Amino acid sequence: MKKTRLFITKLLSPRGVRTRMWQLLTCCLLAAMPLLTSCGELFDVDEAGETTSATMKMDRDTVFIMPGDSLRLTVTFSPSEVKDKGVMWLIDQPEVARLCVDTLVAQQPGTAYVTAMSSATMRLDTCVVTVMTPWTVDRNKYFFDTVVYADISVAGRQLGDDIAVAAFVDDELRGIAELKEAKGKRYAVIRVYGPVSASDEDIITFKCYDRREVRLRTFDVQLPFDGETHGTLSKLITLHLD
Protein backbone atom coordinates (compact mmCIF):
# COMPACT_ATOMS: atom_id res chain seq x y z
CA MET A 1 0.00 0.00 0.00
CA LYS A 2 1.39 3.36 -0.99
CA LYS A 3 2.24 5.41 2.06
CA THR A 4 0.25 8.64 2.20
CA ARG A 5 2.38 11.74 2.38
CA LEU A 6 1.38 14.54 4.66
CA PHE A 7 2.97 17.91 5.16
CA ILE A 8 2.69 19.45 8.60
CA THR A 9 3.43 23.10 9.11
CA LYS A 10 3.56 24.70 12.54
CA LEU A 11 2.50 28.33 12.78
CA LEU A 12 3.65 28.93 16.38
CA SER A 13 5.49 26.67 18.79
CA PRO A 14 5.16 27.58 22.46
CA ARG A 15 7.25 24.65 23.61
CA GLY A 16 9.50 24.14 20.59
CA VAL A 17 9.89 20.44 21.40
CA ARG A 18 8.10 17.53 19.72
CA THR A 19 7.75 14.52 21.91
CA ARG A 20 7.13 10.96 20.79
CA MET A 21 3.63 11.18 22.26
CA TRP A 22 2.87 14.27 20.17
CA GLN A 23 4.10 12.52 17.03
CA LEU A 24 1.97 9.47 17.78
CA LEU A 25 -1.09 11.65 18.32
CA THR A 26 -0.43 13.44 15.02
CA CYS A 27 -0.23 10.12 13.14
CA CYS A 28 -3.55 9.03 14.64
CA LEU A 29 -5.15 12.32 13.58
CA LEU A 30 -3.90 11.93 10.03
CA ALA A 31 -5.43 8.49 9.73
CA ALA A 32 -8.79 9.79 10.93
CA MET A 33 -8.75 13.11 9.09
CA PRO A 34 -11.08 12.19 6.18
CA LEU A 35 -13.76 11.42 8.75
CA LEU A 36 -13.43 14.70 10.62
CA THR A 37 -16.07 17.39 10.46
CA SER A 38 -16.18 20.64 12.38
CA CYS A 39 -15.04 19.61 15.82
CA GLY A 40 -13.60 22.62 17.59
CA GLU A 41 -14.44 21.11 20.97
CA LEU A 42 -13.15 17.58 20.43
CA PHE A 43 -10.43 17.89 23.10
CA ASP A 44 -10.86 19.54 26.47
CA VAL A 45 -7.44 19.08 28.09
CA ASP A 46 -4.49 21.43 27.79
CA GLU A 47 -0.79 20.46 27.86
CA ALA A 48 -0.74 20.66 31.65
CA GLY A 49 -3.58 18.16 31.88
CA GLU A 50 -6.07 20.76 33.09
CA THR A 51 -9.54 21.22 31.71
CA THR A 52 -10.08 24.38 29.68
CA SER A 53 -13.24 25.97 28.33
CA ALA A 54 -11.53 27.70 25.40
CA THR A 55 -12.69 26.80 21.90
CA MET A 56 -11.07 27.12 18.48
CA LYS A 57 -12.81 27.21 15.12
CA MET A 58 -11.57 27.64 11.58
CA ASP A 59 -13.07 30.70 9.90
CA ARG A 60 -14.20 28.58 6.93
CA ASP A 61 -15.91 25.20 6.79
CA THR A 62 -15.48 24.86 3.04
CA VAL A 63 -13.15 26.41 0.48
CA PHE A 64 -13.62 26.49 -3.30
CA ILE A 65 -10.49 27.63 -5.08
CA MET A 66 -8.93 27.61 -8.54
CA PRO A 67 -5.50 26.08 -9.28
CA GLY A 68 -2.73 28.61 -8.69
CA ASP A 69 -4.75 30.71 -6.25
CA SER A 70 -3.93 30.96 -2.57
CA LEU A 71 -5.77 31.64 0.68
CA ARG A 72 -4.50 32.49 4.14
CA LEU A 73 -6.16 30.20 6.67
CA THR A 74 -7.29 31.63 9.99
CA VAL A 75 -8.89 30.42 13.20
CA THR A 76 -10.84 32.14 15.96
CA PHE A 77 -10.31 31.38 19.64
CA SER A 78 -12.99 31.93 22.24
CA PRO A 79 -12.51 33.64 24.57
CA SER A 80 -10.22 35.87 22.53
CA GLU A 81 -7.97 36.33 25.60
CA VAL A 82 -6.54 32.82 25.16
CA LYS A 83 -2.80 33.19 25.77
CA ASP A 84 -1.50 30.37 23.60
CA LYS A 85 -2.87 30.73 20.07
CA GLY A 86 -0.36 28.44 18.44
CA VAL A 87 -1.79 26.39 15.56
CA MET A 88 -0.50 23.35 13.72
CA TRP A 89 -1.85 22.92 10.16
CA LEU A 90 -2.31 19.55 8.43
CA ILE A 91 -3.46 18.55 4.95
CA ASP A 92 -4.15 15.05 3.68
CA GLN A 93 -3.71 15.57 -0.09
CA PRO A 94 -0.64 17.76 -0.77
CA GLU A 95 -0.86 17.00 -4.48
CA VAL A 96 -4.25 18.78 -4.54
CA ALA A 97 -3.21 21.73 -2.37
CA ARG A 98 -0.16 22.46 -0.28
CA LEU A 99 0.42 24.47 2.87
CA CYS A 100 3.01 27.21 3.12
CA VAL A 101 2.94 28.01 6.83
CA ASP A 102 -0.73 29.12 7.21
CA THR A 103 -1.37 29.73 3.50
CA LEU A 104 -3.20 27.25 1.30
CA VAL A 105 -1.95 27.05 -2.30
CA ALA A 106 -4.17 25.21 -4.81
CA GLN A 107 -2.30 22.74 -7.02
CA GLN A 108 -4.71 20.71 -9.17
CA PRO A 109 -8.43 19.78 -9.23
CA GLY A 110 -9.49 17.53 -6.40
CA THR A 111 -10.62 17.48 -2.77
CA ALA A 112 -8.52 17.75 0.37
CA TYR A 113 -9.10 18.05 4.10
CA VAL A 114 -7.28 20.75 6.07
CA THR A 115 -7.17 20.43 9.84
CA ALA A 116 -6.15 23.06 12.37
CA MET A 117 -4.84 21.81 15.71
CA SER A 118 -4.33 24.03 18.73
CA SER A 119 -0.78 23.57 20.02
CA ALA A 120 -1.81 24.14 23.63
CA THR A 121 -5.20 22.41 24.00
CA MET A 122 -5.07 20.05 21.00
CA ARG A 123 -8.49 21.21 19.90
CA LEU A 124 -9.32 20.46 16.27
CA ASP A 125 -11.37 21.90 13.46
CA THR A 126 -11.50 20.86 9.82
CA CYS A 127 -12.52 22.37 6.49
CA VAL A 128 -13.02 20.74 3.11
CA VAL A 129 -11.02 22.22 0.23
CA THR A 130 -12.25 21.77 -3.33
CA VAL A 131 -9.82 22.77 -6.04
CA MET A 132 -12.04 23.39 -9.06
CA THR A 133 -11.35 22.61 -12.68
CA PRO A 134 -10.51 25.89 -14.49
CA TRP A 135 -13.54 27.37 -16.23
CA THR A 136 -13.34 26.70 -19.97
CA VAL A 137 -15.98 25.69 -22.51
CA ASP A 138 -15.36 23.56 -25.61
CA ARG A 139 -17.68 25.28 -28.08
CA ASN A 140 -17.11 22.56 -30.67
CA LYS A 141 -19.16 20.16 -28.55
CA TYR A 142 -22.33 22.20 -29.03
CA PHE A 143 -24.44 23.50 -31.90
CA PHE A 144 -27.02 25.54 -30.01
CA ASP A 145 -26.85 28.56 -27.70
CA THR A 146 -28.78 31.01 -25.57
CA VAL A 147 -27.39 34.53 -25.21
CA VAL A 148 -27.60 36.66 -22.06
CA TYR A 149 -26.82 40.39 -21.89
CA ALA A 150 -26.15 41.21 -18.26
CA ASP A 151 -25.13 43.85 -15.77
CA ILE A 152 -22.78 42.08 -13.35
CA SER A 153 -21.73 43.48 -9.98
CA VAL A 154 -20.23 41.71 -6.96
CA ALA A 155 -19.79 43.82 -3.83
CA GLY A 156 -19.55 46.86 -6.08
CA ARG A 157 -16.94 45.29 -8.36
CA GLN A 158 -17.50 44.51 -12.01
CA LEU A 159 -16.63 41.54 -14.15
CA GLY A 160 -12.88 41.33 -14.71
CA ASP A 161 -11.96 42.92 -11.38
CA ASP A 162 -10.85 39.54 -10.02
CA ILE A 163 -14.42 38.45 -10.74
CA ALA A 164 -15.32 35.56 -13.08
CA VAL A 165 -18.90 34.54 -13.89
CA ALA A 166 -20.03 31.34 -15.58
CA ALA A 167 -23.33 29.78 -16.64
CA PHE A 168 -24.32 26.23 -15.74
CA VAL A 169 -27.05 23.87 -16.91
CA ASP A 170 -27.59 20.83 -14.68
CA ASP A 171 -24.33 21.73 -12.91
CA GLU A 172 -22.44 21.47 -16.22
CA LEU A 173 -20.38 24.50 -17.24
CA ARG A 174 -21.90 25.85 -20.46
CA GLY A 175 -20.74 29.44 -20.80
CA ILE A 176 -18.40 32.13 -19.48
CA ALA A 177 -19.19 35.85 -19.19
CA GLU A 178 -17.20 38.24 -21.36
CA LEU A 179 -16.91 41.95 -20.65
CA LYS A 180 -17.96 44.26 -23.50
CA GLU A 181 -18.34 48.00 -23.98
CA ALA A 182 -20.54 50.02 -26.33
CA LYS A 183 -21.05 53.80 -26.35
CA GLY A 184 -19.23 54.09 -23.05
CA LYS A 185 -21.45 51.49 -21.37
CA ARG A 186 -19.92 48.31 -19.98
CA TYR A 187 -21.90 45.09 -19.99
CA ALA A 188 -21.39 41.33 -20.04
CA VAL A 189 -22.30 38.83 -22.73
CA ILE A 190 -22.81 35.23 -21.66
CA ARG A 191 -23.20 32.79 -24.51
CA VAL A 192 -24.60 29.58 -23.05
CA TYR A 193 -24.01 26.49 -25.20
CA GLY A 194 -25.98 23.29 -25.42
CA PRO A 195 -27.06 20.37 -27.60
CA VAL A 196 -28.93 20.75 -30.88
CA SER A 197 -32.36 20.88 -29.24
CA ALA A 198 -33.25 23.08 -26.28
CA SER A 199 -35.97 22.66 -23.71
CA ASP A 200 -37.66 25.15 -21.44
CA GLU A 201 -37.14 22.59 -18.71
CA ASP A 202 -33.38 23.20 -18.83
CA ILE A 203 -32.52 26.00 -16.42
CA ILE A 204 -29.46 28.24 -16.53
CA THR A 205 -27.87 29.16 -13.21
CA PHE A 206 -25.04 31.63 -12.76
CA LYS A 207 -22.04 31.36 -10.44
CA CYS A 208 -19.36 33.85 -9.48
CA TYR A 209 -15.78 33.06 -8.51
CA ASP A 210 -14.22 35.90 -6.56
CA ARG A 211 -10.46 35.44 -6.85
CA ARG A 212 -9.70 38.24 -4.39
CA GLU A 213 -11.84 36.73 -1.62
CA VAL A 214 -11.44 33.13 -2.86
CA ARG A 215 -15.18 32.48 -2.76
CA LEU A 216 -17.67 30.71 -5.02
CA ARG A 217 -21.16 32.23 -4.92
CA THR A 218 -24.42 31.67 -6.79
CA PHE A 219 -26.66 34.41 -8.17
CA ASP A 220 -30.39 34.27 -7.45
CA VAL A 221 -31.28 34.75 -11.12
CA GLN A 222 -32.25 31.72 -13.23
CA LEU A 223 -33.17 31.69 -16.91
CA PRO A 224 -34.54 29.04 -19.29
CA PHE A 225 -32.15 27.49 -21.77
CA ASP A 226 -34.49 28.12 -24.70
CA GLY A 227 -32.32 29.32 -27.57
CA GLU A 228 -33.53 32.89 -27.18
CA THR A 229 -31.73 36.12 -26.27
CA HIS A 230 -32.28 37.37 -22.73
CA GLY A 231 -31.73 41.05 -22.04
CA THR A 232 -30.76 43.91 -24.32
CA LEU A 233 -28.22 46.72 -24.15
CA SER A 234 -30.99 49.03 -22.92
CA LYS A 235 -32.43 46.48 -20.46
CA LEU A 236 -29.72 44.23 -19.11
CA ILE A 237 -30.35 41.18 -16.96
CA THR A 238 -29.25 42.10 -13.43
CA LEU A 239 -26.71 39.79 -11.81
CA HIS A 240 -25.77 41.42 -8.51
CA LEU A 241 -24.31 40.11 -5.24
CA ASP A 242 -23.70 42.20 -2.14
Side-chain angles (χ1 to χ4, degrees):
M1 180 181 295
K2 182 178 180 181
K3 185 176 180 181
T4 302
R5 294 179 301 153
L6 181 75
F7 296 156
I8 304 175
T9 306
K10 197 166 185 180
L11 179 59
L12 294 174
S13 177
R15 298 293 183 268
V17 178
R18 294 181 180 177
T19 65
R20 289 184 178 274
M21 183 177 294
W22 180 262
Q23 293 173 343
L24 178 60
L25 173 61
T26 301
C27 291
C28 293
L29 290 172
L30 301 185
M33 189 155 53
L35 302 177
L36 293 174
T37 56
S38 293
C39 49
E41 296 183 282
L42 181 60
F43 291 101
D44 297 296
V45 181
D46 62 17
E47 288 184 344
E50 298 177 353
T51 301
T52 175
S53 60
T55 62
M56 181 200 73
K57 182 173 177 57
M58 292 186 67
D59 292 335
R60 295 208 187 180
D61 295 324
T62 58
V63 172
F64 290 89
I65 188 171
M66 290 288 187
D69 288 349
S70 61
L71 173 68
R72 184 173 180 267
L73 301 171
T74 56
V75 300
T76 298
F77 286 89
S78 181
S80 59
E81 294 80 13
V82 173
K83 294 182 180 179
D84 187 348
K85 296 184 179 181
V87 176
M88 178 176 270
W89 297 98
L90 308 93
I91 189 165
D92 71 332
Q93 300 293 336
E95 69 277 8
V96 173
R98 61 184 175 88
L99 289 172
C100 182
V101 189
D102 60 346
T103 299
L104 179 76
V105 181
Q107 300 282 85
Q108 63 182 15
T111 301
Y113 291 84
V114 173
T115 296
M117 179 194 301
S118 168
S119 300
T121 65
M122 290 185 281
R123 295 181 182 276
L124 301 176
D125 201 15
T126 301
C127 77
V128 181
V129 176
T130 301
V131 180
M132 300 180 290
T133 301
W135 284 354
T136 59
V137 177
D138 183 1
R139 302 180 181 182
N140 296 324
K141 291 172 54 179
Y142 306 107
F143 302 93
F144 196 85
D145 63 23
T146 292
V147 180
V148 180
Y149 291 90
D151 171 29
I152 296 176
S153 176
V154 179
R157 292 150 55 205
Q158 292 188 323
L159 183 69
D161 186 16
D162 289 327
I163 298 293
V165 173
F168 295 78
V169 178
D170 292 332
D171 290 327
E172 180 185 4
L173 177 62
R174 295 284 190 85
I176 299 173
E178 297 180 4
L179 186 62
K180 303 288 185 179
E181 185 172 343
K183 298 180 180 180
K185 183 176 182 178
R186 303 179 75 186
Y187 61 96
V189 176
I190 311 172
R191 193 171 293 275
V192 188
Y193 296 91
V196 175
S197 60
S199 170
D200 290 340
E201 296 179 359
D202 292 331
I203 301 299
I204 304 171
T205 59
F206 302 91
K207 296 182 181 182
C208 162
Y209 178 64
D210 187 337
R211 179 168 277 105
R212 184 181 302 176
E213 301 294 332
V214 189
R215 290 189 183 277
L216 180 67
R217 303 174 65 186
T218 301
F219 293 93
D220 292 334
V221 176
Q222 295 184 344
L223 297 173
F225 181 70
D226 54 10
E228 302 295 331
T229 297
H230 296 268
T232 63
L233 292 182
S234 60
K235 192 175 181 180
L236 299 169
I237 299 296
T238 301
L239 297 177
H240 287 185
L241 288 171
D242 295 330

